[in-house]
Amino acid sequence: MTLGAFISSATAGIPSTRFGRRACLALACVTCFVANIIMMTTENIGALYAGRLIIGLANGYFMTFAQLYLQESSTAELRGVFLTAFNFFVSFGTLIGTIVDWATAKRPDKSAYLIPLGLIYVFPLIIICTIWFIPESPRWLILQGRFDEGVKALIWLRPKTHDSLAEATAIRDAIDREKESSSGVGWLDLFSNPVDRRRTGLAVCAVLLQAASGSMFIIGNSPPPLTRNTY
């Protein structure tokens, strides 16, 4: 699952540029459904590993595009609140999942794992049914040259008193400046001078050291309580 999330997160830029945030979240939901069907219906260990890999791909998209949509659609003063809420609900969902796993682990039949897996359908189903009722990311629309649609999205997302046209214009100007400053810049420039090299090293090491604590491994691989039926 971790490998799948790594692969999808590392390659998320390609579909993100072409299809937008909503479509990629919908794709994550469909991928999640496929993976879950495989895991719920198979009794083959190889197919189970394949299902775990596929659901990891979906999870990487969920984590990437949900945060990206929040960042691009929220105002500057509320962006931190939304991202904090995102991380809170991820942790809260992990807690609920762990409780369900432990509560069903003592069941002597297939329901011990079918119930937890069945609950996975709930939120992806809600997302794929409702995501079409909210606008696409305004920044992505403007990035694609669809300025008028970006303004309409901001009007939907902001209070009536907000100057959505001015914000859309500021977003377009920022995008133009980014394109100008990034012209001819490649990934090797991350290491080309001491300042950028230090910044890159700090960012990468911060993430790696967080993962090196082993917390995610413990969360993802904590065993259920043993019963006589386990032996």
Side-chain angles (χ1 to χ4, degrees):
M1 184 173 176
T2 303
L3 175 61
F6 171 78
I7 294 172
S8 60
S9 297
T11 58
I14 300 172
S16 172
T17 302
R18 296 192 60 182
F19 305 115
R21 316 320 184 204
R22 293 190 310 173
C24 289
L25 283 170
L27 177 61
C29 293
V30 173
T31 306
C32 182
F33 294 150
V34 172
N36 217 32
I37 290 171
I38 293 173
M39 291 189 292
M40 293 182 74
T41 57
T42 188
E43 294 182 359
N44 180 276
I45 188 66
L48 182 61
Y49 275 119
R52 291 283 290 175
L53 177 65
I54 295 171
I55 204 170
L57 295 172
N59 191 49
Y61 271 18
F62 280 131
M63 297 294 290
T64 300
F65 293 111
Q67 294 185 80
L68 192 57
Y69 184 87
L70 288 174
Q71 290 174 9
E72 294 181 345
S73 301
S74 58
T75 58
E77 61 269 17
L78 293 176
R79 193 167 297 138
V81 175
F82 283 137
L83 292 177
T84 300
F86 174 85
N87 287 292
F88 168 79
F89 284 113
V90 168
S91 301
F92 184 72
T94 302
L95 174 62
I96 296 299
T98 303
I99 292 172
V100 172
D101 285 345
W102 281 70
T104 59
K106 296 181 181 179
R107 289 174 171 266
D109 54 16
K110 291 183 178 180
S111 65
Y113 66 89
L114 289 178
I115 292 175
L117 286 175
L119 292 177
I120 294 176
Y121 288 111
V122 175
F123 285 103
L125 183 61
I126 294 173
I127 292 172
I128 202 170
C129 290
T130 59
I131 197 170
W132 312 111
F133 296 99
I134 62 175
E136 180 56 85
S137 159
R139 190 181 191 282
W140 182 83
L141 290 170
I142 297 171
L143 186 62
Q144 300 301 309
R146 297 155 62 179
F147 183 79
D148 292 338
E149 294 179 52
V151 173
K152 291 179 181 179
L154 284 170
I155 292 173
W156 194 95
L157 290 164
R158 301 290 187 262
K160 291 183 179 180
T161 56
H162 183 77
D163 191 347
S164 298
L165 179 60
E167 183 178 355
T169 303
I171 292 173
R172 183 175 59 184
D173 293 341
I175 290 173
D176 291 339
R177 288 194 297 271
E178 287 175 10
K179 289 180 179 179
E180 291 175 3
S181 62
S182 63
S183 178
V185 177
W187 65 271
L188 287 176
D189 292 289
L190 293 170
F191 310 94
S192 60
N193 65 69
V195 175
D196 288 334
R197 189 162 53 246
R198 184 165 58 250
R199 184 185 296 116
T200 302
L202 288 172
V204 173
C205 288
V207 177
L208 290 178
L209 288 173
Q210 181 185 19
S213 67
S215 59
M216 293 307 298
F217 178 81
I218 295 172
I219 292 171
N221 296 276
S222 55
L226 295 175
T227 66
R228 287 196 183 98
N229 297 314
T230 308
Y231 298 101

